[in-house]
Amino acid sequence: MERTNKDMQQIKDEWNRQGRKYATDVNAMVEFGETKGWENWKGEEPKDDRGHLGEAIFQGLKAANENNTVTQFREDFPPAHTPLVELMKEKGQSIMQLQFIDEQKIIFVTGTAYEQRQTYILNNKDILELDASINAVGKSKQNNVFAIATNNTISTTQGWEGDIIATFRLDKAKDIGITELIPFNDGLKVLLVSSDGIYIISNDNENMIHPLPDPEDDEWEPYMDMENATLSNDNKYIVVGDQAYDHRVLDHNGKEITEIGTQSAYPDFCMFSKDDKQLITNSCHFYNGITIGVATSDFENINIPAYEGGEDCITIEDGMRVYCGVSTSEFYILGDAFGYIKAVDTKGNSIWKHFLGSTITGMTISDDENTLWIGAASGMLHKLQLNKGLRDNHTIGTANHYEDFRMIFWKDEPVIKW
């Protein structure tokens, strides 16, 4: 049913009135809780009661994309997460493996490791759909090496679409869903992360470095949950972990150096600071978690017992279940299970937080650290210009970021921009 201008004006008035109030109330509650203690908050949690408008907003947004009036629609209807949750339950999908290419161009995939994936390039506002056989993309920590997995073959190139450095035909690791793909800085090896094992792939070998086989279990299999791994920026260290194992620090060949005890229930994320001086590890329990920081200068001698911490680590953040993150020259930006991204420095100081919604599933940042792209399980890809100033008064968080747009990649729907 086509809505009249009067209908849309009423929807616009309600959308904006409630949206402003909800954002204001949430921001006030969070400020109170973080400055005066959450135990002292006696008020009710704010509610966003615009769910009944979600379908009308989505149909109006689709029409705006068809009519090339998205800019005006965005001004009339600032984006929100909660009112579209019911639609997301049916249509949403994770946006993962975001990699910065250059200028305002990134590559990413939709779908989890064991779903049919689709790879896209986003160049400014233009979307290019790539070959459907691509099931993983990755980028090195330094030297601008890319890796693409397709048809049980991984190729590394010098730069996006640059000269091929190496090609690896998978054998032990064939036909498994790839959670993450990280080429080494020279392109001659690749770290392949999957729920069926974490491998170092080279032309000579496919070496499974995690989990460790149980020699007394004849039926042992490598299957894991919450598998996660990273390389240090200089590729000197590899860190691996999963739900059942503490984070293990390995050398570049996969030999274990030390273990870092989990501080919450399940190890699920790890990342190095941009200067490689610190490693952070996150462990979670349900939707909460603890992130600790460990100096990399003394890996051989550290002792960090599970749940006890100790003098060899510091608490970086004590609330987030972290799914992804990026390291900048000044701080970490972490994405969590509640839909927040949060900047925190190497000493554990909170810099800012910004709400997007759903579970944050991927992130990448431009080389000049001014533009941040964030993917979520909502099927939304957000593009933020950092510290450029707020675009509207519906924004939840303490940051000062300008959202250029959010692209919606929903199942059985055209890609649309908001």
Side-chain angles (χ1 to χ4, degrees), residues 104-395:
Q104 297 292 297
K105 183 191 289 188
I106 65 167
I107 188 170
F108 60 94
V109 303
T110 57
T112 60
Y114 284 94
E115 293 178 316
Q116 177 59 49
R117 280 177 157 161
Q118 179 59 53
T119 305
Y120 297 91
I121 285 179
L122 172 65
N123 187 6
N124 286 299
K125 298 176 182 178
D126 298 325
I127 288 286
L128 175 65
E129 190 173 300
L130 299 187
D131 191 284
S133 66
I134 298 173
N135 55 25
V137 294
K139 185 183 176 184
S140 61
K141 301 295 182 178
Q142 296 175 353
N143 298 349
N144 204 36
V145 173
F146 284 82
I148 291 182
T150 177
N151 300 324
N152 283 319
T153 298
I154 299 173
S155 298
T156 57
T157 60
Q158 184 58 61
W160 175 246
E161 294 186 314
D163 293 340
I164 293 177
I165 299 170
T167 301
F168 314 107
R169 304 198 185 283
L170 299 179
D171 179 22
K172 295 179 192 173
K174 69 181 179 182
D175 298 327
I176 62 177
I178 299 175
T179 306
E180 193 170 7
L181 196 62
I182 312 174
F184 282 65
N185 293 338
D186 60 8
L188 299 178
K189 293 190 295 185
V190 173
L191 186 67
L192 186 154
V193 184
S194 83
S195 60
D196 292 290
I198 299 175
Y199 291 82
I200 298 176
I201 308 291
S202 67
N203 271 324
D204 302 324
N205 196 11
E206 294 174 37
N207 179 22
M208 191 174 75
I209 57 175
H210 189 78
L212 296 173
D214 183 349
E216 298 180 4
D217 184 355
D218 293 336
E219 298 180 356
W220 182 86
E221 292 183 355
Y223 186 78
M224 300 174 287
D225 285 313
M226 299 185 194
E227 65 280 1
N228 63 103
T230 193
L231 285 171
S232 60
N233 296 281
D234 61 7
N235 290 180
K236 184 177 179 181
Y237 299 112
I238 306 169
V239 184
V240 294
D242 72 272
Q243 177 176 299
Y245 287 83
D246 285 348
H247 279 107
R248 300 167 52 228
V249 180
L250 318 174
D251 69 13
H252 67 279
N253 291 316
K255 181 182 177 184
E256 184 169 320
I257 298 170
T258 190
E259 290 188 355
I260 297 173
T262 182
Q263 302 305 304
S264 185
Y266 307 114
D268 69 342
F269 177 76
C270 53
M271 182 169 68
F272 286 85
S273 60
K274 196 166 186 179
D275 62 7
D276 277 338
K277 291 182 179 179
Q278 186 180 66
L279 166 70
I280 61 171
T281 64
N282 177 264
S283 49
C284 65
H285 184 60
F286 293 107
Y287 278 71
N288 299 306
I290 299 171
T291 302
I292 60 170
V294 182
T296 60
S297 56
D298 202 24
F299 273 154
E300 287 80 0
N301 300 311
I302 61 171
N303 176 33
I304 302 174
Y307 304 107
E308 297 177 19
E311 60 184 23
D312 291 333
C313 68
I314 64 169
T315 299
I316 294 294
E317 206 282 333
D318 64 358
M320 304 173 80
R321 173 175 176 169
V322 179
Y323 274 79
C324 59
V326 294
S327 296
T328 77
S329 53
E330 295 182 26
F331 43 68
Y332 306 105
I333 304 175
L334 307 175
D336 76 1
F338 283 116
Y340 272 93
I341 59 173
K342 184 174 181 179
V344 58
D345 69 17
T346 57
K347 294 184 173 71
N349 299 307
S350 177
I351 311 300
W352 52 255
K353 61 166 59 176
H354 183 87
F355 179 74
L356 297 170
S358 194
T359 296
I360 307 301
T361 52
M363 202 182 302
T364 192
I365 194 167
S366 58
D367 286 347
D368 64 11
E369 301 183 353
N370 289 327
T371 308
L372 183 71
W373 294 262
I374 310 101
S378 59
M380 301 271 187
L381 175 64
H382 306 258
K383 182 181 179 183
L384 299 182
Q385 300 297 340
L386 301 184
N387 301 311
K388 187 181 174 182
L390 295 181
R391 188 169 183 179
D392 57 62
N393 53 15
H394 293 224
T395 303

Side-chain angles (χ1 to χ4, degrees), residues 79-123:
H81 170 75
T82 308
L84 301 184
V85 164
E86 289 303 313
L87 292 172
M88 291 171 192
K89 288 178 182 176
E90 177 187 350
K91 301 172 182 288
Q93 59 183 338
S94 293
I95 298 177
M96 314 181 80
Q97 298 184 358
L98 282 69
Q99 316 294 346
F100 176 69
I101 296 177
D102 59 26
E103 296 180 355
Q104 297 292 297
K105 183 191 289 188
I106 65 167
I107 188 170
F108 60 94
V109 303
T110 57
T112 60
Y114 284 94
E115 293 178 316
Q116 177 59 49
R117 280 177 157 161
Q118 179 59 53
T119 305
Y120 297 91
I121 285 179
L122 172 65
N123 187 6

Side-chain angles (χ1 to χ4, degrees), residues 6 21 226:
K6 184 178 178 183
K21 184 177 188 308
M226 299 185 194

